Amino acid sequence: AQKELPFSKEEIVVGFRNLGSFKEGYSWILIAIAQKEKVYERIRFAESNGLKVSKVSLSTEFLFLWARDLANREASNLILDIDKENSELLILDHDRLVFSRAFSNEVLLEEIGRSLEAYRREKLGSLPEGGIITGAFENLKGLSESIEANLNIKTRLFDYDINPQVLNFLEIDLLPLEIKESQEKVLKKKDIIYYLTFSSVILFLIFGLIGLRLFYKKEFILALDKKLKSIESESSEVERMIKKITIAQSYTKQKGSAVFCLSELYKIIPDNVSLIRISYDETKMVLQGSSKDMSYILKFINTLEKSSAFYKAELKSATKRSSSEGEFTDFQIICLLEP
C-alpha cells in the first residue's frame, strides 16, 4: 500500500479494523490512512476549544457499527449519512461492510447513482435491496422518495444519535504515535507521583501516631529518617524499572534485531502455517515449519518479503509427508534481514 500513496510513511497515520473472514485464508480489512498534518490540524482545533484528545476515530467505522444493528442482515443495504456539505455512502452485504464512498452534496442523487455503479463494477456483492438514510439534510423524506423512484431502493429514515455503547467498539485510532507516547509518559509520571504521595501520607499518619506517643523523642526522629530513606530507595527502583522498560521497547523497534524480527513475524504469520524451529544470525533468519497446503506456504513467503523486517524470503526446501491428521508439507524458508 505504501507504494500507492503520495506521502512517505512518516507523513501518514494508519489504522485498521478486521471485518471478518469471507472464505478460508482471506479477510475483509477496513484500512484508514490519513495525512498526519491534517490529523494534527483537527487536534489543535479541538484543543483550542478546551477539549483534550485521547483518540482520533473514523466516522466510517462509527457509521458502520451504528447502522449494522438497524439494517436487514439477510440482504444488502445502502447506508447514507448526509452532512451539511458532504455525504458518505456505505454498502453492507448482510452485516459486512464492503463499500464506502464520500462525495459533495451538489448533485446528491447523481453521486448516489455513481456510487452504486462503481459498486456494481467491482462485483463486491449483491445490489442493495433496502437502505437507511440519516443526517442533517433538510428534505430527507423527499430524498428517500427520489431514491426509491429512480434507483428502486426503498429506504428508511433514522436520527443519527451517538450511542455510547457503539463508541466502546471503535478499533481504529488515528492518533499520531508521538502523541500516544507523550501521553504514556505523562501517565507514568502521574503513577509515580501518586505512589510517592500515597506512601508519604501513609507514613505521615503512621509516624504521626508514633510521634504522639514518643513526643518528639530521639527514637521518633531516627525512625522517620529511616522511612524517608526507604521512600528514596523505592523511588530509585521505580525509575530503574522505567529505564528497563524503555530499553526493551527500543529493541522491538530496532530493525535487524532478533526481538524486532520476532515481533514482525508474530504479526504476520497466518493461522494455517505452523513454525517448528527458528534460527537467527545477523544477516538472516531461518524458519522451519509445516502447512497443509503448499499455497499457504507461498502466500506466507510473499507476506514475509513485504514485511519491514525482511527484504527477501526464499523457499529452501519443501517435503510432503503423511500423518494421522492428514497430508502436510514441511518447509524451510531463509529470510534475509533488512540491512
Side-chain angles (χ1 to χ4, degrees):
Q2 180 66 42
K3 296 179 181 179
E4 305 298 328
L5 298 174
F7 306 103
S8 67
K9 64 180 180 180
E10 290 78 15
E11 297 177 289
I12 59 174
V13 187
V14 181
F16 72 93
R17 179 188 184 93
N18 189 338
L19 299 175
S21 60
F22 65 99
K23 62 180 179 179
E24 186 178 358
Y26 293 88
S27 296
W28 283 99
I29 303 295
L30 173 60
I31 299 178
I33 302 175
Q35 193 176 356
K36 188 180 293 184
E37 182 55 35
K38 297 296 182 182
V39 176
Y40 271 114
E41 285 179 7
R42 284 154 178 76
I43 292 173
R44 287 193 290 267
F45 176 78
E47 291 177 342
S48 67
N49 288 276
L51 299 175
K52 184 179 180 180
V53 180
S54 59
K55 185 175 184 178
V56 178
S57 299
L58 185 69
S59 61
T60 302
E61 184 184 20
F62 179 87
L63 181 62
F64 159 61
L65 294 175
W66 173 82
R68 185 175 57 178
D69 295 331
L70 300 174
N72 178 10
R73 297 197 176 194
E74 301 301 320
S76 294
N77 294 268
L78 177 148
I79 313 298
L80 184 61
D81 178 27
I82 306 176
D83 208 342
K84 185 177 180 181
E85 296 179 353
N86 300 290
S87 298
E88 182 170 14
L89 182 145
L90 308 182
I91 295 181
L92 307 187
D93 185 13
H94 297 80
D95 62 348
R96 187 178 69 244
L97 173 63
V98 294
F99 182 84
S100 170
R101 183 172 181 262
F103 44 78
S104 170
N105 290 348
E106 292 181 3
V107 283
L108 191 55
L109 196 60
E110 292 181 18
E111 289 293 352
I112 295 171
R114 291 191 188 105
S115 301
L116 291 172
E117 178 60 23
Y119 170 74
R120 186 190 63 79
R121 286 198 307 268
E122 293 182 22
K123 299 179 180 180
L124 298 173
S126 58
L127 291 175
E129 300 174 14
I132 292 173
I133 301 179
T134 186
F137 193 61
E138 294 179 357
N139 187 15
L140 288 179
K141 185 177 180 181
L143 176 62
S144 177
E145 293 172 351
S146 296
I147 291 176
E148 184 173 0
N150 291 277
L151 303 175
N152 197 29
I153 299 176
K154 189 174 182 59
T155 58
R156 296 175 292 159
L157 306 180
F158 284 90
D159 290 332
Y160 193 11
D161 58 331
I162 297 180
N163 187 341
Q165 293 183 345
V166 174
L167 296 176
N168 295 330
F169 292 98
L170 294 174
E171 296 181 6
I172 295 175
D173 185 6
L174 298 177
L175 192 68
L177 181 61
E178 299 87 344
I179 297 180
K180 290 181 181 179
E181 291 178 343
S182 176
Q183 291 180 350
E184 288 176 359
K185 289 180 181 178
V186 171
L187 289 175
K188 287 178 182 179
K189 289 180 180 178
K190 286 183 178 180
D191 289 341
I192 294 172
I193 293 172
Y194 172 79
Y195 172 76
L196 294 177
T197 302
F198 180 75
S199 299
S200 300
V201 170
I202 295 298
L203 290 172
F204 177 78
L205 293 174
I206 292 173
F207 287 105
L209 294 174
I210 295 174
L212 290 174
R213 296 184 64 185
L214 298 178
F215 200 68
Y216 297 108
K217 288 186 178 180
K218 184 178 180 181
E219 290 82 1
F220 170 71
I221 297 173
L222 292 174
L224 182 60
D225 183 65
K226 182 179 179 181
K227 289 297 180 182
L228 289 174
K229 289 181 179 179
S230 175
I231 291 175
E232 292 177 359
S233 175
E234 291 174 355
S235 175
S236 299
E237 182 61 27
V238 171
E239 290 180 357
R240 284 195 293 271
M241 290 175 63
I242 292 175
K243 289 180 180 178
K244 290 179 180 179
I245 292 172
T246 302
I247 292 171
Q249 289 177 336
S250 69
Y251 276 117
T252 64
K253 299 176 181 178
Q254 182 179 346
K255 281 193 173 183
S257 70
V259 176
F260 176 80
C261 293
L262 288 173
S263 176
E264 289 297 305
L265 189 61
Y266 174 78
K267 294 176 184 177
I268 63 176
I269 186 168
D271 295 336
N272 46 39
V273 173
S274 300
L275 293 182
I276 302 170
R277 183 179 179 184
I278 300 174
S279 59
Y280 167 88
D281 61 33
E282 295 180 352
T283 60
K284 66 181 182 297
M285 179 175 280
V286 181
L287 310 178
Q288 292 180 285
S290 64
S291 178
K292 286 188 174 182
D293 196 300
M294 188 64 189
S295 63
Y296 298 149
I297 300 173
L298 297 176
K299 290 176 184 176
F300 180 40
I301 292 173
N302 186 43
T303 303
L304 287 169
E305 291 188 330
K306 294 180 180 178
S307 167
S308 59
F310 315 108
Y311 76 90
K312 184 177 181 181
E314 180 182 3
L315 181 64
K316 192 67 176 178
S317 63
T319 306
K320 284 193 174 183
R321 63 178 172 85
S322 299
S323 70
S324 58
E325 298 179 358
E327 295 285 335
F328 286 88
T329 300
D330 295 330
F331 64 84
Q332 183 183 71
I333 300 172
I334 298 179
C335 304
L336 300 183
L337 307 183
E338 285 283 0

